[in-house]
Amino acid sequence: MNKWALAFFVLLVNHAHGQDSVLLARTTGPLPFMEYGIGDDRLGGAKIGYLDSNIVVRIVDSFSTDYKVRLSTYHSAYIAKSSLVLMGREVNRPVPHNPHLSGNIKVYGDTASDYVAISLDDRYPYRSFQLLDPSRVVVDVFGITSNTNWIIQLRSAKEVRNTWYEQVDDDVLRVYIQLKHSQHWGYSLGYDSAGRKLVMRVRRQPPVLDIRKLRVAIDAGHGGENIGARGVNSNLLEKDLTVLFAEQLRKTLKAAGVKSVFMTRTTDTSLSMPERIAMLKAYDPQLLVSIHLNSANSDTVQGTSTYYRYIGFRPLSVAILNRMLTLGLKEFGNVGNFNFSLNGPTDYPNALVEVAFLSNPEDEKKILKPAFRKAVAHEIFLGITDWLNQIKGSP
């Protein structure tokens, strides 16, 4: 056999092998997540959402740090290789060939939260997103065909107004969860211990919309080895300054009568994003404010900005920005769909505040003044209060 025939034969065998089988893997580690593609920036690629552990996925391609996985016939995603454990191969058939079926859906509540439980026969990939007017949470379960013939809705559910589904593709089940209130207060999504129910815990709106009654979390950005930005003239580090702003916000909230305030850090310590998120999950706040100081390549860029990822949490970030602009800072903007890790949890409303630019001489002078830190803390407090007042005036 000449070299051209041999090359053609190898190509044919490899093609046939790729068509006949796929590599299986299960998600593992803290906070595995799916991405839309292999694009990247300093915050990572654009995320579809986080996943639970031990979810089986089918690998169809490999890149430097990511695997491309098939979610359903027409949907795929990218997952970091470090978040997957390889399991071996299976015969590659179209997903609808042997569809996996959903069972009943149950909506109920306990003394603190509502729950929506979707019965399945194993752990399958999923994504979720928020909708407005009316407020809803939507869950897509991939690789599933509906055999859901009843949705049990108990009166113990207080925040979930209604639940229904549609089969948007042959192998994608979409579940709609309509909420009672216009403001999204957060939810968590994952499988039960048996791995046969995908369960959403829906946070209820607090009975009293008073900041003094809420559990507030504050995150001082960076820390330890992660120094952040550096002052253009002072050479001071963002990691040290964010602690000062966070501590001043804590004092302001305490002085206003807020009893429950949690700080992710109060000293110069290294904390990874998964560690911070785990701490916040344990505290279970009703809102989070993360404080950073901005930086740009040009020293002419300046101003204050706030950031959110999920549309249901945007009102908090807008209310804080409106108050920050009363400090005489220029407007850098309200930034949505932001891929910052602490904007990633869906569990509670959250906002990232980039107070001003350390790389701008005018902003830096303000940042270094203790009086300015007190003013920033006061305006963030007022922004949260404005947000709560807006909610009181909505359905």
Side-chain angles (χ1 to χ4, degrees), residues 62-350:
S62 175
F63 297 86
S64 59
T65 59
D66 299 320
Y67 285 121
K68 181 179 180 180
V69 301
R70 186 182 67 197
L71 303 176
S72 65
T73 304
Y74 301 113
H75 294 81
S76 60
Y78 297 79
I79 301 178
K81 292 179 178 178
S82 59
S83 295
L84 293 173
V85 174
L86 301 183
M87 298 169 56
R89 291 187 175 273
E90 72 166 7
V91 174
N92 183 20
R93 299 187 181 97
V95 174
H97 173 82
N98 184 22
H100 300 284
L101 303 176
S102 65
N104 72 73
I105 298 174
K106 185 175 181 179
V107 183
Y108 59 98
D110 60 18
T111 57
S113 306
D114 286 2
Y115 300 88
V116 178
I118 306 167
S119 297
L120 302 165
D121 62 4
D122 202 346
R123 296 178 179 234
Y124 299 95
Y126 55 83
R127 68 176 175 185
S128 65
F129 52 94
Q130 299 171 342
L131 294 176
L132 302 178
D133 302 323
S135 54
R136 288 157 290 164
V137 179
V138 179
V139 179
D140 286 341
V141 189
F142 296 101
I144 291 294
T145 300
S146 173
N147 194 35
T148 299
N149 295 309
W150 61 88
I151 300 176
I152 305 165
Q153 303 182 66
L154 301 182
R155 290 185 298 172
S156 56
K158 307 299 183 185
E159 182 61 37
V160 176
R161 185 186 295 274
N162 198 3
T163 301
W164 67 96
Y165 78 85
E166 63 176 316
Q167 193 75 43
V168 291
D169 285 327
D170 288 346
D171 51 349
V172 180
L173 178 70
R174 174 166 291 178
V175 179
Y176 293 89
I177 300 158
Q178 184 178 357
L179 306 178
K180 179 179 179 180
H181 295 94
S182 59
Q183 173 61 50
H184 285 261
W185 282 92
Y187 63 90
S188 58
L189 185 61
Y191 284 94
D192 67 356
S193 57
R196 295 296 184 268
K197 290 181 180 179
L198 181 60
V199 181
M200 174 179 288
R201 174 204 173 203
V202 180
R203 185 186 294 278
R204 293 173 183 160
Q205 179 163 299
V208 180
L209 293 173
D210 185 335
I211 191 172
R212 294 173 296 179
K213 306 293 185 181
L214 299 186
R215 294 163 60 83
V216 181
I218 305 169
D219 172 65
H222 303 280
E225 296 176 355
N226 186 354
I227 65 173
R230 190 185 295 269
V232 63
N233 290 320
S234 68
N235 216 32
L236 293 177
L237 302 178
E238 180 183 2
K239 68 168 185 174
D240 298 323
L241 293 167
T242 55
V243 169
L244 298 179
F245 278 93
E247 174 59 21
Q248 185 58 58
L249 179 56
R250 185 193 69 80
K251 289 179 179 178
T252 299
L253 294 178
K254 285 292 187 180
V258 182
K259 294 181 174 58
S260 300
V261 181
F262 176 77
M263 306 273 283
T264 57
R265 72 180 183 95
T266 57
T267 60
D268 183 20
T269 183
S270 293
L271 282 174
S272 69
M273 287 302 174
E275 287 173 328
R276 293 177 201 241
I277 291 173
M279 293 165 63
L280 291 164
K281 190 174 185 65
Y283 176 67
D284 196 25
Q286 288 162 306
L287 70 95
L288 164 70
V289 176
S290 185
I291 299 178
H292 284 242
L293 299 167
N294 222 332
S295 183
N297 292 329
S298 170
D299 65 5
T300 62
V301 179
Q302 63 182 129
T304 188
S305 51
T306 55
Y307 302 74
Y308 68 95
R309 180 169 178 191
Y310 307 109
I311 191 65
F313 299 157
R314 181 176 184 264
L316 174 61
S317 65
V318 170
I320 293 175
L321 178 62
N322 289 340
R323 283 291 182 171
M324 290 291 292
L325 291 173
T326 66
L327 296 172
L329 295 163
K330 291 187 177 181
E331 181 182 358
F332 191 73
N334 178 243
V335 182
N337 204 50
F338 194 61
N339 197 25
F340 173 56
S341 293
L342 291 192
N343 287 133
T346 59
D347 305 65
Y348 38 79
N350 56 75

